[in-house]
């Protein structure tokens, strides 16, 4: 995964208002991809969370996947 690439979170992070399947963008790659700084934003561009996640906590967004909209959960 590279900077600016969309990624999918693999588990809920309720304390940050995130659910499994939410899409974020890689803003920084640590080391050789052991961890990633990922920004999650709302539909109007407001940052919801910026998290440092291990490679095992995210995956690349597949070209064949369709995006879905949901209301932002309360933290």
């Amino acid at each position: 995964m590279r900077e600016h690439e969309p990624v999918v979170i693999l588990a809920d992070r309720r304390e940050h208002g995130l659910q499994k399947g939410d899409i974020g963008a890689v803003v920084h790659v640590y080391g050789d991809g052991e961890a990633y700084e990922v920004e999650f934003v709302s539909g109007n561009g407001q940052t919801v969370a910026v998290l440092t996640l291990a490679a095992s906590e995210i995956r690349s967004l597949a070209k064949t996947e369709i995006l879905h909209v949901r209301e932002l959960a309360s933290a």
Side-chain angles (χ1 to χ4, degrees):
M1 290 176 265
R2 300 185 313 238
E3 286 188 8
H4 308 292
E5 181 178 337
V7 294
V8 180
I9 194 166
L10 299 177
D12 291 348
R13 288 292 187 95
R14 299 273 183 203
E15 69 276 17
H16 297 287
L18 299 173
Q19 293 180 8
K20 178 181 177 179
D22 285 348
I23 299 167
V26 174
V27 295
H28 185 75
V29 179
Y30 292 99
D32 289 328
E34 297 92 25
Y36 299 86
E37 196 82 7
V38 181
E39 181 179 23
F40 297 86
V41 298
S42 65
N44 66 358
Q46 293 267 320
T47 298
V48 173
V50 178
L51 303 177
T52 302
L53 299 167
S56 62
E57 296 178 286
I58 56 175
R59 67 170 176 81
S60 295
L61 179 65
K63 293 179 181 179
T64 57
E65 292 179 303
I66 190 165
L67 304 180
H68 177 82
V69 174
R70 69 170 182 84
E71 288 290 320
L72 182 61
S74 298

